Amino acid sequence: MKKYFQFAIVAVAALLMVSCDNKDKKSSDSSSSEAQEEEVAKGTTFEGEKFSIVYPEFLKESYKSDIAVNATNDEEGVKMDATFSEFPCTPEDFTQYYNNYKAPEMFSDYKFEEPQIQDNIMIFKAVNEKAGLAMTNFVVYLDEKAGVAGKMEYPIDKASEIEPLVMPMAKSIKKK
């Protein structure tokens, strides 16, 4: 069952990346504070076949494949996933990706914040007050045949610790 669930997560991420279309205009929103821009991701490096990412060292790898990685810290209630796609969402389509992501019924209990777009990276947060959970999603466009999408999920009370880690992690993503 666990493997099926992990496969389902990878499949949903891939479908969301494919769901972009070329109808939206590029957003000019700027997302990162000066501190986040200067901060370099520190932690554990995942080296997949198609991409690499540096994620926080307090997370331990729980699943990996050639194109995906999941890492968790069960004690803290924090989870991270990142999935590579050869059909990336372009920056021009980030708004459509965001709208498609928040539309499914499974996210009906989440309140989504507006996406923050910085060059080839989009980050957006969603909060589920009932469950006491938040997730910060990231989409990174690498080139016309490469992109990575993923998220950090965490308890709301950990937001001040987790959220500053997302942009440096997204910036650490490199195509191989």
Side-chain angles (χ1 to χ4, degrees):
M1 182 72 169
K2 184 176 180 181
K3 285 186 180 187
Y4 173 76
F5 181 70
Q6 289 171 336
F7 176 76
I9 289 173
V10 170
V12 167
L15 286 172
L16 285 170
M17 290 196 82
V18 172
S19 71
C20 293
D21 64 31
N22 291 323
K23 293 181 181 175
D24 285 339
K25 295 180 182 174
K26 184 176 181 180
S27 174
S28 62
D29 293 350
S30 180
S31 70
S32 178
S33 70
E34 289 178 25
Q36 286 177 325
E37 287 183 37
E38 293 175 10
E39 188 175 338
V40 176
K42 297 177 183 121
T44 304
T45 301
F46 164 76
E47 297 282 348
E49 181 180 307
K50 304 282 187 173
F51 79 105
S52 65
I53 184 173
V54 179
Y55 59 86
E57 63 187 10
F58 69 89
L59 298 173
K60 301 301 174 209
E61 190 175 275
S62 57
Y63 171 81
K64 72 177 178 177
S65 70
D66 291 340
I67 63 165
V69 63
N70 295 352
T72 62
N73 181 319
D74 292 332
E75 291 175 15
E76 300 286 330
V78 179
K79 300 175 186 176
M80 182 279 303
D81 67 75
T83 304
F84 178 87
S85 175
E86 292 180 348
F87 304 99
C89 186
T90 64
E92 292 80 15
D93 296 327
F94 281 167
T95 301
Q96 184 64 42
Y97 178 98
Y98 167 76
N99 290 333
N100 291 348
Y101 193 96
K102 67 180 189 169
E105 179 67 29
M106 65 191 257
F107 294 123
S108 64
D109 288 337
Y110 283 84
K111 180 180 179 205
F112 283 79
E113 294 180 3
E114 287 299 310
Q116 298 176 342
I117 299 172
Q118 180 182 349
D119 300 322
N120 66 323
I121 299 172
M122 174 176 64
I123 293 180
F124 59 93
K125 179 180 173 183
V127 176
N128 181 335
E129 294 278 343
K130 291 180 192 176
L133 295 173
M135 65 179 171
T136 301
N137 297 266
F138 56 90
V139 179
V140 180
Y141 175 79
L142 300 169
D143 67 29
E144 61 277 347
K145 293 281 186 181
V148 176
K151 67 182 170 301
M152 293 277 284
E153 294 179 288
Y154 47 92
I156 293 170
D157 63 353
K158 298 273 182 202
S160 64
E161 298 169 41
I162 303 301
E163 290 171 13
L165 303 174
V166 178
M167 181 58 82
M169 184 175 63
K171 286 182 174 183
S172 79
I173 296 171
K174 304 288 184 246
K175 179 184 174 186
K176 291 184 144 191

